Amino acid sequence: MFYFLVDLYGKFLRHMNNTTSSGIFTERLWLRCLRLALYPSVFVVGVVGNILVCSLFLLRKKNRTINAYFILNLAFSDLLTLLLYLPFDLAYLENSWQWPFGSFLCKFINILSSVSITVSGSTLIAIAVDRHNAIVHGLRRRLCNKSIVVMSVVLIWIYAVSLQMPFMFALQLIPGRECLVDLSWWPSEDAVQMTYFFTTFVPKFLIPAICISACYVGIVVHLRHHHKNLTKRGICKAGQHFTEVRTQQNKKTTKLLTGLVTIYTVCILPHQVVLLMVIFNNEYLSSPYMREVHEFARFLTTANCCLNPLLYSAISRSFRNDVKAVLRRRVGSSTHNSVFNK
């Protein structure tokens, strides 16, 4: 049987069972054509879109909010994956899974995608917590100190990198130029499974799902309770107008967070589930459709790097106007409803 060679965990699964690349999972032509069409498209759209996001942040020196730093972190994380991981990954796949780039890049490049996904999930948690505090507690408990926000971003990266250290140490460039994980680094197969579960699936999906869901529930409960109180007490027109404006602002920002979380879930979860199934039950590899399912899941993970800027453009008219201003070199700081000013 052919174990997945096209990402870090596929490599150690293949090595774990001492299998070869021949067999029923020989790559089909349509998969290769799809990859060759998707990778360049994701690269171009993602690089242009995320550079524009970073440019807007750097050019808009006034009215930057907490969310702006987190959105910048998402864009920077995606850019790293697009510029460093994606070209090497495509070259590796097109070179019959031979790694010609040396031992250092074998370790660095192959953990970069996983680090980036963990950073994205953790950043979404930070955005959700900030939204919850802003809506439920107002300015009392919101992260208003930008130095604290910057420190939070740094800690997110340290956290993401530290989780991948076992795989960085275990990755080896073996004779034949295959970049594989040396499973002798772990005492048993169970240890490999637990390492994957607690350093990959849990921080990439389980923790973000729990934390973001808790924030959403808190926001919904607060808004319903607040609405009931206003209805019972009655408010003047001026107060009603202020409340409506604030409610609209909260809805727009929550809509942005909802979109980011939806994209993250749709793109990241399928691949994590497929790998989880294979790692904990090797019998799934006997399915003739597993290769196609895995490749489709990887395509979704790859597409995640270019979708956030498209989301900003789709839901924020001010973001579209800012992009036009960047292209015309007339960016100012007067737009108050930008994704950077919420």
Side-chain angles (χ1 to χ4, degrees):
M1 287 179 289
F2 178 81
Y3 277 59
F4 306 128
L5 299 172
V6 289
D7 68 359
L8 177 61
Y9 306 108
K11 293 167 190 171
F12 79 64
L13 283 173
R14 173 175 175 267
H15 194 200
M16 178 173 64
N17 289 273
N18 195 27
T19 56
T20 63
S21 59
S22 61
I24 61 173
F25 286 134
T26 301
E27 186 174 49
R28 291 177 172 83
L29 179 61
W30 72 268
L31 278 176
R32 186 187 179 200
C33 292
L34 181 61
R35 183 172 62 238
L36 290 175
L38 178 67
Y39 271 48
S41 301
V42 169
F43 181 85
V44 172
V45 174
V47 169
V48 172
N50 285 294
I51 286 179
L52 282 173
V53 171
C54 295
S55 299
L56 287 176
F57 177 87
L58 296 175
L59 292 172
R60 187 177 296 283
K61 297 181 180 180
K62 296 181 180 180
N63 301 323
R64 288 177 183 169
T65 63
I66 305 307
N67 276 348
Y69 289 87
F70 291 136
I71 289 174
L72 176 68
N73 194 41
L74 288 174
F76 179 72
S77 174
D78 287 340
L79 271 177
L80 278 183
T81 302
L82 290 164
L83 295 174
L84 297 180
Y85 175 78
L86 204 63
F88 284 97
D89 187 45
L90 182 59
Y92 179 59
L93 299 179
E94 290 300 308
N95 195 36
S96 301
W97 300 284
Q98 301 298 303
W99 186 266
F101 306 111
S103 178
F104 172 78
L105 289 180
C106 167
K107 295 176 179 289
F108 176 74
I109 296 298
N110 280 287
I111 70 162
L112 183 59
S113 178
S114 190
V115 168
S116 176
I117 294 172
T118 305
V119 167
S120 296
S122 301
T123 303
L124 290 177
I125 294 175
I127 295 175
V129 171
D130 179 67
R131 276 291 86 208
H132 175 272
N133 291 341
I135 294 174
V136 176
H137 302 289
L139 297 177
R140 288 178 298 167
R141 292 176 56 183
R142 195 177 185 188
L143 292 175
C144 295
N145 191 328
K146 293 182 180 179
S147 62
I148 296 178
V149 177
V150 173
M151 182 59 66
S152 300
V153 170
V154 173
L155 290 176
I156 285 174
W157 278 94
I158 294 174
Y159 164 71
V161 171
S162 63
L163 288 174
Q164 297 305 310
M165 292 306 290
F167 299 108
M168 178 179 288
F169 289 124
L171 271 165
Q172 301 293 332
L173 188 61
I174 66 172
R177 290 188 176 183
E178 287 187 277
C179 184
L180 300 175
V181 172
D182 182 8
L183 292 186
S184 63
W185 197 84
W186 287 273
S188 66
E189 182 177 333
D190 290 340
V192 177
Q193 294 172 345
M194 290 300 101
T195 300
Y196 168 77
F197 183 76
F198 287 107
T199 65
T200 302
F201 183 76
V202 170
K204 283 183 181 179
F205 183 77
L206 197 58
I207 293 177
I210 293 173
C211 294
I212 294 171
S213 297
C215 290
Y216 267 122
V217 171
I219 291 172
V220 171
V221 170
H222 170 77
L223 291 178
R224 287 183 178 179
H225 181 70
H226 183 65
H227 179 73
K228 288 181 180 179
N229 287 340
L230 291 179
T231 302
K232 289 180 180 179
R233 291 181 301 173
I235 53 176
C236 64
K237 291 184 177 180
Q240 184 178 7
H241 176 71
F242 174 79
T243 301
E244 289 177 353
V245 171
R246 182 178 178 185
T247 300
Q248 285 298 115
Q249 291 176 343
N250 288 337
K251 284 183 178 180
K252 289 180 180 180
T253 310
T254 304
K255 183 179 179 181
L256 173 63
L257 174 60
T258 302
L260 290 173
V261 171
T262 301
I263 288 175
Y264 182 84
T265 303
V266 171
C267 292
I268 302 303
L269 181 59
H271 191 224
Q272 298 304 310
V273 170
V274 169
L275 292 176
L276 203 64
M277 291 166 57
V278 171
I279 289 173
F280 284 90
N281 189 349
N282 294 343
E283 293 181 1
Y284 283 111
L285 288 166
S286 62
S287 170
Y289 304 106
M290 183 54 73
R291 174 60 190 262
E292 284 78 5
V293 171
H294 177 260
E295 285 295 325
F296 179 73
R298 286 192 83 252
F299 291 153
L300 288 177
T301 302
T302 303
N304 179 65
C305 296
C306 73
L307 294 181
N308 286 347
L310 297 180
L311 172 69
Y312 306 147
S313 180
I315 70 175
S316 175
R317 180 182 299 176
S318 59
F319 178 80
R320 295 193 295 271
N321 292 335
D322 286 347
V323 170
K324 293 178 182 178
V326 167
L327 298 178
R328 296 170 183 171
R329 298 181 182 180
R330 290 191 290 109
V331 178
S333 58
S334 59
T335 304
H336 298 287
N337 294 321
S338 172
V339 294
F340 296 105
N341 299 100
K342 295 180 179 178

